[in-house]
Amino acid sequence: MNEPLLSVRDFSVRYETAAPVDAVRDVSLTVHRGEVLGLAGESGCGKTTLAYGVQRLLKPPAVIPGGSVTWHDADGTDVDLLALSADALRAFRWDKISMVFQGAMSALNPVATVGAQLADVFEVHRPGMSRAERTAAVVELLEIVKVGAARIKSYPHELSGGMRQRIMIAMALALRPQLVVMDEPTTALDVLVQREILREITGLREAFGFSVVFITHDLPLLLEISDRIAIMRAGRIVEIDTAPNIWFRPQHEYTRTLLSSFPRLTAERQVTR
Amino acid sequence: MTSIDVQGVSKTYRVRGAGAINALEDVSFTLSSGQTIGMVGQSGSGKSTVAKILTQMERPTSGQVLLDGRPVPTRGAALRAYRQRLRMVFQDPFSSLNPYHSIRHHIERPLVLSGVVPADEVDAEVHRLLDKVQLDAGAVVDRRPHELSGGQRQRVAIARALAPRPALLVADEPVSMLDVSLRMGVLSLLSDIQAQDGLGVLYITHDLATARYFSDEIIVLNQGRVVEHGSADDVILRPQHPYTRELREASPDPERFFVDSAGGAR
Amino acid sequence: MTTTTSPVTDVVADGTTATRATRARARVPWRFIGRRVAFYLFTLWAAITINFFVPRLMKGDAVDNYLARNRGISPEAADALRALLGLDSDRTLLQQYGDYLGMLARGDLGVALTHGLQPVGQVIAGALPWTVGLIGLATVLSFLIGTVGGAVVGWRRGSRLDALIPVTTFLSTVPYFWIGLMAISVFAVTLGWFPIGKAYGIGTTPGLSLEFAGEVIRHGALPLATIVVASLGGWMLGMRNMMLTVLDEDYITVAQAKGLPNRRVLWRYAARNAVLPQIQSFALSIGFIVGGAIIVEQVFSYPGVGKMLLDATNAKDYALMQGGFLVIVLAVLIANILADVAYAVLDPRTRQSEA
């Protein structure tokens, strides 16, 4: 559990606008092989910028003024992500780290079938596969996430929110990556669908053994699914610890504030009315 | 003492190609001043339709809504007067305020329209209302909505709702678009005002935890039907209906989670 | 004030469980098609009816005009002409309308006074290929170059390619006749690279010969180039702006995170979505081909429908004007049908948007 998978050191992101904004400041963080790392914080705290930044997915005016990101691959080699050439980076993306995005609707291309959007991952990363092999792989993925092969020719707008999110998870699993970054994957969903998707993710993790970085503002949710949790505020990680420690022994003032933002569902009421 | 009675209300929408959709089926409850009722359910459960029917933006297909025993008016001056007795706070603090008007304008308008204070006291009342929602009146009154944060905007929306001194307030997901650390503040504010003014509040939400925390009673809606209605603690701690249980199990609850996992029952 | 989204659409659009949404493919949207067909038929009827009434509301009929220009025609001959043109005053307006519809149904558009009483259909048939060939081709070329160019400029926003936009936009704001006349003066008169006007040289006989084809291309090149230059800006700007909107969409970031090559993200994800609004503008512009032809064909003395229409208007040749107008209406309608079809093919969301 303590074998590192991704090491981020003194990583910063700045938006070079008229008034420069330091969105991420000197963040150091290690994702271990096999763990679920929760990244919690409010909107604008830099959690998404951090997750996109380490994969070099940010667009101008974002710049990375400093830090290092090292990938410790399963085959034993270390990769400096910030030094990869454009082609090497493209080959690295999705193969090693994939993502599940927040808005499942807007994350899918509205004019292409879900089958085509799953298949193009194979087309690009596994050029040796024949068309029949690709189709078989897409069918398998749709079955794995319980959407069903019949949906292969459906367009995104024909599917429910929960199904679209399953498609995104299927897409993330396509190349059997070692790390899946999930950015608010369940926020737009109803609580029952959210729970369904979480169970799905847990089951898939048991089957495929990938690590997860789970980004959300929903701390109670994170406490249930994470091994460790990093609390972010104003571009910095103010506290990082195991989930039980964050819950029972929060050290930072802000962690306590965040925890108190969520009333307990079943505990005695703290305030009587 | 004001109360609104929803009696056997159903609402059916006709959708071309899909036939009829029952948004609400035989929904009944009473909301009285001095109490908060939480209404929970998933999207599509009919929560928002209840809000629309209470504010008379929609008419029920069958059943009736009574204000203090009399059918609520459906048009004209009587409807406008009714809408000053029952006010609404919307989900989106970004689109519910007009970007071209100052905060003062937003609160003045309902004051002037309702005539609850004489013309020469309107300005003082605007300040009083902003104070009441814990905004620095002097600092925000001449600003426009985009100059305020989401939490401040939602407070303005609450002040606007309170301006005509309503007896009842319908809050439809009032904090779901705010940052988490701001939510409790806004809800506590609503709760304090409810207690001070003896308001009747219908708090519509998908979040069981805040519903329990801020409500006296909870109504659980599923596919347009009331599946459970009881005191907040009964509904959450001792749910009777399988759907309520399902909702409760699905909601994150670290308390129970850590107790369970400590007991090895994960 | 805002209202929250209706719970009904929530049920339909979002669903609540993974098993509920139904498969909505391979369904022919008959209701949608039926509504469109009804719409087009109504538009066609309205256009034909307006086309019938407008000349009759004008002062003085075509025969009066014809008489004024051609002396020595007897009153009997004039009456015969009126009967021929369907303008005989002893028939009621309704009867005339019936006659007109009957003639249209038989494909009979009347005779053109300015072309020695030739059938209008023949006159138009002689002019239409030139217009469709020149301006149609120019419009398609301009659309393709502008859209592809706009996609690339939008994709590389912030690069030096951005300078193209003000240049092409400037060219499209300059009045067309000015560009046309400048092009003639520089490339035809001064440099002598191209002939000055007309569709082919005076000594050439039209026919399926290489020589004739060469003549047509030589004469058409300059007007074609000027039209493309003058109309490129709109396509380019529209496509570039749409690209900028689309590039901010999540699915673009997803495509990049998937490690897809830039070319694939640009064309299959970004441009493929950005082109949708362009299609509708394109349909509109095809409809305007005939109308837009008037200036071009005047400047280059090109024997197309535009010049024909202008001449007919100057001579108050109503039958010919009506025929020309009918061609414009048909062009607009056909272009819209094509755009509907193209849109349905390119955007899966329209295929089931009946509700």
Side-chain angles (χ1 to χ4, degrees):
Chain A
M1 192 60 140
N2 280 324
E3 188 190 334
L5 179 63
L6 181 74
S7 310
V8 180
R9 291 286 164 268
D10 303 320
F11 186 78
S12 299
V13 177
R14 177 180 299 153
Y15 286 99
E16 293 278 8
T17 48
V21 178
D22 288 302
V24 175
R25 306 161 191 234
D26 300 323
V27 165
S28 294
L29 180 74
T30 304
V31 182
H32 296 130
R33 194 172 293 282
E35 79 170 339
V36 176
L37 176 69
L39 197 52
E42 298 185 85
S43 58
C45 74
K47 55 190 194 299
T48 299
T49 305
L50 172 62
Y52 282 39
V54 298
Q55 300 176 72
R56 288 167 60 190
L57 277 173
L58 297 171
K59 293 170 190 157
V63 294
I64 300 171
S68 70
V69 180
T70 311
W71 173 261
H72 311 283
D73 199 74
D75 66 13
T77 53
D78 281 4
V79 181
D80 179 354
L81 281 188
L82 300 186
L84 280 184
S85 70
D87 283 341
L89 182 66
R90 260 198 293 281
F92 178 91
R93 284 175 178 167
W94 221 256
D95 197 26
K96 308 292 185 187
I97 306 180
S98 67
M99 287 194 78
V100 176
F101 292 82
Q102 179 169 14
M105 186 66 200
S106 54
L108 287 164
N109 183 352
V111 298
T113 62
V114 296
Q117 296 185 59
L118 288 166
D120 66 5
V121 173
F122 296 116
E123 258 177 82
V124 168
H125 288 278
R126 304 284 184 267
M129 284 171 83
S130 69
R131 176 182 284 269
E133 284 169 334
R134 281 199 301 267
T135 308
V138 169
V139 165
E140 189 197 347
L141 283 173
L142 289 173
E143 294 294 342
I144 285 175
V145 295
K146 304 191 180 70
V147 166
R151 300 285 183 173
I152 192 164
K153 286 193 173 154
S154 293
Y155 288 93
H157 72 272
E158 296 170 340
L159 305 174
S160 69
M163 282 181 121
R164 289 195 292 263
Q165 201 52 282
R166 286 165 182 269
I167 302 275
M168 291 311 292
I169 292 171
M171 197 183 287
L173 293 180
L175 304 176
R176 307 290 188 264
Q178 295 164 47
L179 175 63
V180 181
V181 176
M182 303 192 173
D183 183 11
E184 304 266 13
T186 61
T187 304
L189 302 173
D190 268 319
V191 61
L192 295 182
V193 185
Q194 165 176 304
R195 186 56 67 173
E196 228 175 80
I197 296 282
L198 290 175
R199 283 201 196 105
E200 197 65 52
I201 293 172
T202 308
L204 292 170
R205 256 174 45 72
E206 279 162 16
F208 296 106
F210 52 90
S211 309
V212 170
V213 171
F214 199 105
I215 304 170
T216 181
H217 65 276
D218 190 343
L219 193 49
L221 177 76
L222 222 41
L223 284 161
E224 290 191 11
I225 61 167
S226 309
D227 298 304
R228 290 188 307 144
I229 295 176
I231 310 278
M232 261 191 101
R233 187 195 194 185
R236 295 182 199 281
I237 290 180
V238 297
E239 182 166 2
I240 180 165
D241 211 329
T242 62
N245 278 344
I246 292 280
W247 173 248
F248 291 112
R249 291 169 286 279
Q251 300 301 309
H252 196 277
E253 184 54 41
Y254 182 67
T255 307
R256 284 192 280 269
T257 307
L258 263 192
L259 283 170
S260 70
S261 301
F262 297 92
R264 314 280 181 255
L265 180 63
T266 52
E268 287 302 305
R269 292 185 184 209
Q270 298 98 320
V271 183
T272 48
R273 286 174 46 90
Chain B
M1 183 76 181
T2 303
S3 69
I4 192 154
D5 274 299
V6 175
Q7 295 185 339
V9 162
S10 299
K11 178 74 191 176
T12 307
Y13 291 101
R14 306 231 160 255
V15 177
R16 226 191 308 179
I21 290 178
N22 293 325
L24 289 179
E25 272 182 87
D26 196 21
V27 170
S28 300
F29 65 92
T30 302
L31 172 68
S32 305
S33 45
Q35 89 178 139
T36 299
I37 296 184
M39 183 167 272
V40 300
Q42 295 176 273
S43 65
S45 63
K47 292 174 302 189
S48 293
T49 309
V50 169
K52 284 179 189 167
I53 283 176
L54 283 177
T55 51
Q56 286 288 304
M57 289 189 282
E58 301 266 7
R59 310 267 184 270
T61 312
S62 64
Q64 56 179 349
V65 183
L66 305 175
L67 180 70
D68 292 334
R70 283 212 290 272
V72 300
T74 54
R75 58 172 63 86
L79 175 59
R80 286 195 292 278
Y82 166 73
R83 284 186 177 155
Q84 288 170 356
R85 305 267 287 146
L86 181 141
R87 298 280 284 176
M88 180 103 190
V89 176
F90 296 93
Q91 176 175 16
D92 186 353
F94 295 86
S95 66
S96 73
L97 300 179
N98 186 331
Y100 299 105
H101 289 308
S102 66
I103 303 308
R104 180 194 305 280
H105 178 94
H106 279 96
I107 300 175
E108 246 174 29
R109 233 177 90 82
L111 282 175
V112 171
L113 286 178
S114 64
V116 289
V117 292
D120 57 340
E121 286 172 31
V122 164
D123 199 51
E125 182 70 6
V126 169
H127 279 75
R128 196 189 67 79
L129 283 163
L130 289 174
D131 285 344
K132 190 170 184 140
V133 295
Q134 294 163 16
L135 284 174
D136 180 353
V140 303
V141 74
D142 289 316
R143 290 178 185 270
R144 284 171 209 283
H146 66 88
E147 298 176 88
L148 306 184
S149 70
Q152 288 177 315
R153 263 183 279 220
Q154 203 57 316
R155 285 166 196 267
V156 170
I158 293 171
R160 174 178 63 177
L162 295 174
R165 301 190 185 162
L168 305 168
L169 200 63
V170 176
D172 189 359
E173 299 275 11
V175 296
S176 65
M177 292 184 73
L178 300 182
D179 260 346
V180 286
S181 63
L182 301 173
R183 292 181 184 177
M184 286 298 272
V186 170
L187 287 175
S188 303
L189 172 78
L190 258 180
S191 166
D192 290 348
I193 293 172
Q194 183 270 331
Q196 277 165 30
D197 295 5
L199 280 175
V201 175
L202 183 68
Y203 170 43
I204 297 177
T205 181
H206 63 276
D207 179 23
L208 295 190
T210 56
R212 171 176 176 235
Y213 197 78
F214 289 103
S215 312
D216 303 300
E217 294 175 15
I218 289 181
I219 294 173
V220 183
L221 273 188
N222 182 27
Q223 297 183 357
R225 292 171 187 273
V226 174
V227 297
E228 191 154 355
H229 181 176
S231 81
D233 277 0
D234 279 349
V235 170
I236 300 299
L237 300 180
R238 294 169 286 279
Q240 300 301 307
H241 194 277
Y243 178 75
T244 316
R245 257 176 256 146
E246 213 184 321
L247 271 187
R248 200 190 87 154
E249 296 309 313
S251 300
D253 182 9
E255 198 88 32
R256 190 182 31 168
F257 174 79
F258 282 116
V259 169
D260 286 358
S261 49
R266 184 168 174 176
Chain C
M1 283 214 182
T2 173
T3 52
T4 49
T5 47
S6 144
V8 178
T9 49
D10 284 353
V11 173
V12 176
D14 302 337
T16 42
T17 61
T19 50
R20 215 154 93 198
T22 50
R23 193 145 177 260
R25 295 204 69 257
R27 202 177 50 190
V28 182
W30 290 115
R31 187 195 298 271
F32 176 72
I33 294 175
R35 277 215 316 262
R36 297 305 291 172
V37 168
F39 168 76
Y40 286 127
L41 288 178
F42 174 78
T43 314
L44 184 63
W45 170 79
I48 288 173
T49 305
I50 294 171
N51 203 9
F52 167 77
F53 280 105
V54 167
R56 283 165 176 77
L57 294 175
M58 289 182 181
K59 235 180 161 177
D61 65 32
V63 177
D64 291 335
N65 244 288
Y66 190 66
L67 293 180
R69 277 183 293 123
N70 300 273
R71 291 166 212 288
I73 289 181
S74 66
E76 294 76 28
D79 284 344
L81 257 183
R82 284 207 171 81
L84 187 63
L85 296 174
L87 293 170
D88 26 353
S89 39
D90 56 339
R91 289 176 76 77
T92 65
L93 206 56
L94 202 66
Q95 283 170 322
Q96 289 183 30
Y97 182 58
D99 293 347
Y100 173 73
L101 289 185
M103 280 170 68
L104 269 190
R106 291 191 302 275
D108 181 356
L109 298 171
V111 295
L113 290 170
T114 49
H115 288 74
L117 299 187
Q118 257 192 67
V120 165
Q122 265 181 31
V123 177
I124 291 176
L128 199 57
W130 295 111
T131 299
V132 171
L134 172 65
I135 311 203
L137 185 62
T139 306
V140 171
L141 271 182
S142 167
F143 172 77
L144 289 179
I145 298 173
T147 301
V148 169
V152 173
V153 173
W155 177 259
R156 305 174 147 257
R157 62 189 183 283
S159 75
R160 262 181 293 170
L161 282 179
D162 275 353
L164 270 176
I165 295 294
V167 172
T168 55
T169 308
F170 170 74
L171 288 173
S172 65
T173 56
V174 176
Y176 175 75
F177 67 86
W178 191 83
I179 293 187
L181 292 175
M182 285 301 286
I184 291 176
S185 119
V186 174
F187 297 106
V189 177
T190 310
L191 295 173
W193 293 353
F194 298 100
I196 292 176
K198 306 264 193 271
Y200 48 88
I202 305 201
T204 333
T205 30
L208 280 174
S209 67
L210 270 179
E211 188 202 355
F212 179 65
E215 274 287 289
V216 169
I217 293 173
R218 235 163 54 80
H219 282 78
L222 197 56
L224 185 101
T226 55
I227 301 171
V228 170
V229 163
S231 57
L232 195 60
W235 299 122
M236 209 169 216
L237 186 67
M239 186 63 181
R240 172 195 171 262
N241 290 349
M242 210 44 222
M243 280 293 284
L244 294 192
T245 308
V246 168
L247 285 177
D248 276 338
E249 296 283 345
D250 287 347
Y251 52 79
I252 301 297
T253 313
V254 174
Q256 283 169 335
K258 274 157 88 174
L260 304 186
N262 281 338
R263 219 168 345 108
R264 203 183 180 97
V265 181
L266 165 55
W267 297 115
R268 293 211 196 167
Y269 283 72
R272 180 69 177 68
N273 279 285
V275 80
L276 295 175
Q278 294 277 101
I279 301 285
Q280 277 176 332
S281 324
F282 183 61
L284 280 179
S285 73
I286 286 192
F288 288 123
I289 283 183
V290 179
I294 294 176
I295 302 176
V296 180
E297 293 175 0
Q298 182 68 10
V299 169
F300 288 92
S301 317
Y302 209 77
V305 176
K307 191 159 177 302
M308 176 202 87
L309 209 54
L310 196 69
D311 294 344
T313 311
N314 288 336
K316 295 215 172 137
D317 185 343
Y318 291 130
L320 193 52
M321 283 164 65
Q322 282 180 314
F325 182 66
L326 197 67
V327 167
I328 295 180
V329 169
L330 284 177
V332 173
L333 289 182
I334 291 170
N336 271 290
I337 292 172
L338 290 178
D340 273 355
V341 172
Y343 218 92
V345 169
L346 289 175
D347 190 347
R349 287 163 295 188
T350 53
R351 273 174 244 165
Q352 50 150 209
S353 65
E354 318 144 64

